């Protein structure tokens, strides 16, 4: 892993910390969403993601998979994606945006 790749996990953690701090957690639903998201977080780790058309890209897994889904950071796009687990690894399903929003969409 080169120096630029090594700093990506810290950048991802900073993005996520900002989202958590800004998330509207003033009601029970917001608090539960943030708590569940925090519980699913993991240290960002590199993973190959499959996209439609047979394209693959090196991305960063940021949540533990629940057997069906996990949240991935797409460094070339600069945003997060909800990916479905498949026999071939995570598959991008077109749900993109902030990490908590992707996580909370299922």
């Amino acid at each position: 892993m080169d120096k630029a790749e090594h700093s990506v996990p810290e950048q991802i953690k900073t993005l996520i910390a900002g989202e958590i701090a800004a998330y509207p957690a003033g009601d029970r639903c917001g608090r539960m969403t943030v708590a569940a998201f925090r519980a699913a977080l993991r240290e960002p780790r590199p993973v190959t993601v499959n996209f439609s058309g047979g394209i693959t890209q090196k991305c960063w897994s940021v949540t533990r998979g629940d057997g069906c889904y996990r949240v991935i950071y797409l460094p070339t796009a600069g945003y997060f994606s909800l990916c479905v687990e498949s026999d071939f690894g995570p598959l991008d399903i077109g749900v993109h945006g902030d990490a908590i929003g992707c996580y909370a969409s299922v």
Side-chain angles (χ1 to χ4, degrees), residues 11-65:
Q11 294 169 358
I12 295 167
K13 288 192 248 181
T14 299
L15 288 171
I16 290 171
E19 282 189 35
I20 290 170
Y23 196 80
D27 62 6
R28 184 172 182 255
C29 180
R31 288 188 299 275
M32 289 176 66
T33 299
V34 169
F37 177 70
R38 282 183 184 210
L41 282 174
R42 64 171 312 138
E43 277 295 311
R45 71 173 196 169
V47 63
T48 300
V49 175
N50 299 288
F51 294 85
S52 61
I55 298 168
T56 61
Q57 182 181 349
K58 183 178 170 191
C59 299
W60 295 85
S61 177
V62 299
T63 63
R64 290 175 201 79

